[in-house]
Amino acid sequence: MRKVVKNKKGDLDIPFGLIFAILAGTAILVFAIVAATKLKNIEITAQEGETSKTIGVLMNPLESSFEELKKVVIINSKRTRIYTSCEIKPNDIFGKQIIQTSQLTYGKWPEPELEVKFENKYMFSESPAEAKKFYVFSEPFEFPFKVGDLIYIVSSEKHYCFLNTPNDVEESLEFINLSNFHTSECPEESTNICFRTTTSQKCDIRVYYSEGSGYVLKEGERMYFQGEALMFAGIFSDSKTYECQIKRLINRTKILNEIYLNKESKMSQELLCGASIRGDLIVFDNFLDQYSTSQDLSALKVLSDDLSIENEYGGKCQLW
Amino acid sequence: MSIMVKRSLLKKSGQIKINQMAFMLIGVTIFIALVGMFALNLRLSYLKQTASESEEQNAYLLASKIANSPEFSCGEAFGEKRSNCIDLDKVMMLKEKIKEYESFWGVSGIEIRILYPTSIREEIECNLNNYPAKCNLITILPSKGFDKGTFVALCKKELKEDEIVDVCRLGKIFIRYKGEY
Amino acid sequence: MKENLIKKNKRAQDHKISKRDFYLLSSKTGQDEMVGFGLIIIVMAVIIIAFVAVMVNNNKENEIENYEVNAFVQSTLQYTTICKMNGVYLDVSDLIFECGNNAKCENQRESCAVLKGTLEDITSRSWTAGEEEYVKGYKFTIVVDSREIIIPIIEGSFDSKNYRDNPITELTKKSSKAEIYFTVYY
């Protein structure tokens, strides 16, 4: 009996302390792994947000009152994708510029989660534009007074070949002076942008240009433009973004027009300025109200040109 | 030592070991939690600092950019193109429409102070009747917070001796940004 | 067996202790370890918390940026003075060249006197300088065709090695060249 009892000391001779240590240790390890994974994701998101915000901040020097083209270079430590898009809701006058970024991490492109929004910026780019280095340049949009600066983001790795460009466009391209913009001896993988309707070359984008106005034909969609600033906007973005941005610009033009109308009233009272421009400002305001798509730009352009001439001849009573 | 004492000690040795293990594990967990909190605090503090710096840098550049934006700038209304020049008439009209611009520039406050010439010592808010000679403060977007400012020329067309004259004063535009989340 | 137990227990001992004392000590070893470990944790926690408190406490000094000095100069140049010539009130940039020519305003005042008075007023309103102020001093100098046209406008002291100045502002009118230098010491 004693022998039997002696041999059956216990089924498992594992000390309680060891069991407790294993359970507690496993729990701690699991907790640590989960926390590390979550922190990694937070870090990636934080970096995306930081990059998008930084890009937005870097754009500020591009926006000034001077007409000349301005450019900056953005260099990231990692390969980056920049997504630009536009949002305009029914009660939202100025709409929003949306920037998202994604950086190549462990050979993968995480889906951009964070959206950084700006009401006072107008950006145009391929979506996404991908590179480590980006060229960014801007041109002022005047209609007829300055409304804002249009910003174009271009990947340094993508080449653009401008064929049969008109003289004024060629001058602008020379002024911009980017290494990936070509007018001759274009690399084979370039995106061809053709300015004449009849050309035997393969054209990715066609531009129908006549005295500063026309339309850009891209992926079967027409984007009507007035002036070089909008032309570049059509070339470097897609139809949906282009129409959205033009709508935002027109809305801002309307508010500015109202400000100038009020300024004109005040100046007329104080300085006894003539009121001839007032009528044209009111008509312009009505047409801006009716704006729908970029096809309406040509009618607005006529009024805009008239306003520009009237203002110029206003002398000491110039409004802008 | 008696066998009874030895046995009672032996009986309790397992309990002592469990206690030791338990306290050790608790201690290690607390230590890891503290280190984790420290690291997270550092990271959050860095993020806050980056966000704050980003906003501060934005505010500096924005103060200058706002002075040159179409709603403020003189453009060519006062002769040649001017930088750092604000059209006072336009700004007073902008005040009337400021509700639409509340979040436009991404800052919580904008104000302009007329520095020179002014004989006014106390703060007097400008309105359509008293600007610019009898006031020295134009609040575009009211707010509290840190101030970043830049000097600007404040220009207006005035009637002097039956002649329209461009008159420019010295002022400062202040941007108020959030600063801390 | 008793002897074996004693020998075993005395293995790590340098000095002789009684068996009773040894058993007492042994039974308290775990408690000593726990207390020691607890003390270590407490000390580490205090150090970490102190470090965190220091890290979080961001105390940024107020600094004058170059852009502010540059903006001051650009804005001052656009200021409209009381000096009228040919029916036009001159701004500071035009007045600088008239001062270079020692011209007189229509109200017979010397252009250089108007220029100096205006700049003195503007700088004193815009920058408060003094030993107890953040800005310790400033210096405003204007040179036209390599000649100082007015006595430099100076306020405060220049002992400080910290300063901000504008990038050299150059103006040209006809064949004359003006250079404006403005430095703030803090």
Side-chain angles (χ1 to χ4, degrees):
Chain A
M1 187 67 176
R2 246 196 220 166
K3 275 184 184 172
V4 173
V5 169
K6 250 188 176 170
N7 290 334
K8 286 190 178 176
K9 269 186 208 168
D11 288 332
L12 285 165
D13 194 13
I14 303 170
F16 177 74
L18 187 61
I19 297 168
F20 185 72
I22 290 167
L23 283 171
T26 311
I28 289 169
L29 272 170
V30 165
F31 168 72
I33 290 166
V34 165
T37 314
K38 283 207 178 288
L39 275 171
K40 185 199 94 179
N41 290 338
I42 290 170
E43 177 69 28
I44 289 173
T45 311
Q47 269 187 13
E48 281 174 15
E50 216 176 298
T51 311
S52 303
K53 190 82 175 171
T54 308
I55 287 170
V57 165
L58 282 172
M59 301 302 161
N60 281 336
L62 288 170
E63 296 166 85
S64 72
S65 66
F66 299 120
E67 279 183 9
E68 63 212 72
L69 291 165
K70 282 194 147 191
K71 67 179 184 202
V72 297
V73 178
I74 296 176
I75 301 175
N76 296 311
S77 53
K78 284 186 198 174
R79 201 167 174 76
T80 305
R81 280 184 181 168
I82 299 177
Y83 300 80
T84 55
S85 57
C86 168
E87 176 187 272
I88 184 160
K89 293 179 182 165
N91 293 331
D92 188 4
I93 297 174
F94 296 115
K96 288 183 177 61
Q97 172 67 58
I98 300 170
I99 308 175
Q100 289 176 293
T101 56
S102 175
Q103 291 187 317
L104 188 62
T105 316
Y106 308 122
K108 287 183 187 170
W109 289 101
E111 273 304 306
E113 286 177 11
L114 223 56
E115 284 183 345
V116 180
K117 299 185 182 184
F118 297 93
E119 279 189 39
N120 57 354
K121 296 194 197 303
Y122 310 92
M123 293 177 178
F124 301 88
S125 72
E126 303 281 344
S127 202
E130 182 186 321
K132 267 192 177 181
K133 184 161 102 175
F134 296 92
Y135 298 125
V136 186
F137 64 101
S138 73
E139 249 201 83
F141 172 63
E142 294 184 356
F143 209 59
F145 36 79
K146 185 174 170 185
V147 177
D149 286 288
L150 306 193
I151 296 167
Y152 315 97
I153 303 175
V154 168
S155 161
S156 60
E157 293 166 13
K158 193 161 182 186
H159 293 264
Y160 293 89
C161 185
F162 295 83
L163 300 164
N164 306 312
T165 46
N167 291 333
D168 40 0
V169 175
E170 186 143 2
E171 269 175 35
S172 297
L173 290 172
E174 274 173 21
F175 194 86
I176 295 168
N177 193 26
L178 293 180
S179 56
N180 57 338
F181 281 9
H182 313 274
T183 50
S184 62
E185 291 169 10
C186 304
E188 246 187 70
E189 68 278 11
S190 302
T191 301
N192 289 341
I193 301 160
C194 309
F195 278 79
R196 275 195 207 146
T197 51
T198 53
T199 172
S200 54
Q201 272 172 303
K202 170 206 152 223
C203 294
D204 300 296
I205 301 170
R206 286 182 186 275
V207 182
Y208 295 84
Y209 184 95
S210 171
E211 289 170 3
S213 63
Y215 63 89
V216 172
L217 184 64
K218 192 175 177 185
E219 291 166 0
E221 307 256 17
R222 287 192 186 193
M223 291 174 273
Y224 293 88
F225 64 84
Q226 295 288 336
E228 232 173 60
L230 293 186
M231 182 195 74
F232 283 123
I235 289 170
F236 294 116
S237 72
D238 56 276
S239 171
K240 189 178 168 198
T241 305
Y242 179 81
E243 293 293 336
C244 173
Q245 297 283 36
I246 302 302
K247 178 76 183 149
R248 288 179 64 215
L249 285 164
I250 292 296
N251 285 352
R252 192 173 176 189
T253 307
K254 184 172 158 57
I255 302 289
L256 279 165
N257 193 58
E258 286 165 16
I259 289 172
Y260 283 116
L261 204 51
N262 293 339
K263 183 185 170 185
E264 193 279 333
S265 282
K266 186 98 188 3
M267 281 168 64
S268 291
Q269 284 169 25
E270 278 180 8
L271 309 174
L272 310 169
C273 286
S276 58
I277 200 172
R278 185 174 179 75
D280 288 339
L281 285 169
I282 294 171
V283 171
F284 192 50
D285 191 55
N286 291 334
F287 270 77
L288 287 168
D289 258 335
Q290 291 163 34
Y291 174 86
S292 170
T293 66
S294 59
Q295 271 186 294
D296 300 333
L297 283 173
S298 55
L300 285 169
K301 180 70 172 147
V302 172
L303 293 169
S304 161
D305 288 344
D306 286 342
L307 276 170
S308 187
I309 294 168
E310 283 218 48
N311 183 58
E312 214 176 294
Y313 286 109
K316 283 284 180 183
C317 293
Q318 257 185 315
L319 290 177
W320 60 81
Chain B
M1 194 174 155
S2 73
I3 291 170
M4 288 300 288
V5 172
K6 218 184 354 182
R7 273 189 185 162
S8 75
L9 271 172
L10 274 169
K11 271 185 196 170
K12 289 192 177 173
S13 71
Q15 289 174 26
I16 290 167
K17 280 188 179 172
I18 290 166
N19 275 334
Q20 283 179 19
M21 184 65 75
F23 276 110
M24 190 271 294
L25 285 169
I26 289 166
V28 165
T29 310
I30 291 171
F31 182 74
I32 290 170
L34 276 170
V35 168
M37 264 171 55
F38 166 69
L40 197 66
N41 206 351
L42 260 180
R43 180 65 192 144
L44 279 174
S45 157
Y46 166 73
L47 264 178
K48 277 189 194 175
Q49 191 187 349
T50 311
S52 231
E53 276 174 4
S54 184
E55 257 196 355
E56 197 175 327
Q57 185 187 19
N58 199 18
Y60 271 125
L61 292 169
L62 206 48
S64 183
K65 193 187 100 168
I66 280 175
N68 292 316
S69 76
E71 285 81 0
F72 288 81
S73 93
C74 298
E76 291 179 65
F78 301 93
E80 72 279 340
K81 271 174 270 179
R82 294 171 182 241
S83 69
N84 284 70
C85 175
I86 289 179
D87 183 336
L88 271 179
D89 287 324
K90 205 158 48 166
V91 150
M92 293 306 292
M93 300 306 133
L94 171 67
K95 263 187 81 152
E96 310 293 306
K97 293 210 162 287
I98 204 59
K99 263 195 172 172
E100 281 146 10
Y101 282 92
E102 260 167 14
S103 54
F104 186 74
W105 285 288
V107 291
S108 60
I110 304 173
E111 72 178 25
I112 298 170
R113 289 180 183 267
I114 303 173
L115 294 180
Y116 187 78
T118 180
S119 54
I120 303 162
R121 287 177 189 239
E122 67 274 18
E123 249 176 38
I124 297 180
E125 181 72 34
C126 293
N127 56 48
L128 290 174
N129 297 319
N130 68 358
Y131 89 101
K134 294 176 185 171
C135 67
N136 53 14
L137 175 64
I138 305 171
T139 306
I140 310 291
L141 276 177
S143 184
K144 292 177 187 176
F146 298 102
D147 290 344
K148 293 294 166 197
T150 186
F151 288 96
V152 285
L154 301 170
C155 296
K156 185 186 184 322
K157 293 184 184 291
E158 292 179 12
L159 208 56
K160 278 192 177 182
E161 295 156 11
D162 294 331
E163 221 182 303
I164 298 173
V165 165
D166 296 338
V167 177
C168 295
R169 296 167 170 81
L170 185 73
K172 213 168 181 183
I173 182 167
F174 290 92
I175 301 298
R176 286 178 172 168
Y177 68 103
K178 288 172 195 144
E180 274 181 26
Y181 288 99
Chain C
M1 194 166 158
K2 219 192 212 178
E3 281 162 4
N4 284 343
L5 206 60
I6 290 166
K7 272 184 196 166
K8 237 177 151 180
N9 290 335
K10 280 191 175 174
R11 232 182 285 152
Q13 303 291 330
D14 283 335
H15 55 273
K16 285 184 184 176
I17 53 168
S18 69
K19 284 180 231 172
R20 192 170 162 265
D21 288 341
F22 174 78
Y23 280 125
L24 279 171
L25 276 170
S26 293
S27 68
K28 292 201 182 214
T29 310
Q31 291 173 30
D32 289 337
E33 283 177 14
M34 281 190 285
V35 166
F37 196 72
L39 276 171
I40 288 167
I41 294 290
I42 288 165
V43 166
M44 287 293 303
V46 165
I47 291 168
I48 287 168
I49 287 166
F51 196 59
V52 162
V54 165
M55 290 286 303
V56 162
N57 195 12
N58 282 328
N59 208 3
K60 284 193 178 165
E61 280 293 324
N62 204 7
E63 266 200 27
I64 298 169
E65 301 289 332
N66 262 345
Y67 88 92
E68 197 177 356
V69 172
N70 189 39
F72 171 72
V73 170
Q74 297 303 322
S75 307
T76 301
L77 289 173
Q78 297 177 64
Y79 178 80
T80 309
T81 66
I82 56 168
C83 183
K84 199 173 176 184
M85 278 190 201
N86 303 322
V88 173
Y89 286 96
L90 300 181
D91 54 30
V92 166
S93 58
D94 289 328
L95 191 58
I96 285 170
F97 289 103
E98 296 303 333
C99 175
N101 295 330
N102 291 315
K104 273 192 181 175
C105 307
E106 278 177 11
N107 57 8
Q108 299 309 307
R109 286 188 67 178
E110 292 289 339
S111 54
C112 292
V114 173
L115 179 65
K116 188 160 164 56
T118 304
L119 291 178
E120 276 172 350
D121 283 345
I122 285 177
T123 43
S124 64
R125 284 292 176 91
S126 307
W127 305 92
T128 315
E131 270 309 308
E132 285 165 20
E133 301 290 338
Y134 185 71
V135 172
K136 303 297 174 208
Y138 57 74
K139 192 173 175 183
F140 203 147
T141 313
I142 302 176
V143 171
V144 176
D145 298 328
S146 311
R147 181 175 63 94
E148 262 183 16
I149 52 166
I150 53 169
I151 296 168
I153 295 160
I154 292 170
E155 185 69 39
S157 71
F158 317 116
D159 298 331
S160 172
K161 285 179 186 168
N162 298 319
Y163 64 89
R164 287 279 182 263
D165 53 9
N166 62 312
I168 297 173
T169 305
E170 284 181 3
L171 305 171
T172 46
K173 191 172 182 182
K174 292 175 183 172
S175 55
S176 281
K177 182 172 138 185
E179 288 163 3
I180 294 110
Y181 303 91
F182 183 69
T183 311
V184 173
Y185 295 85
Y186 63 98

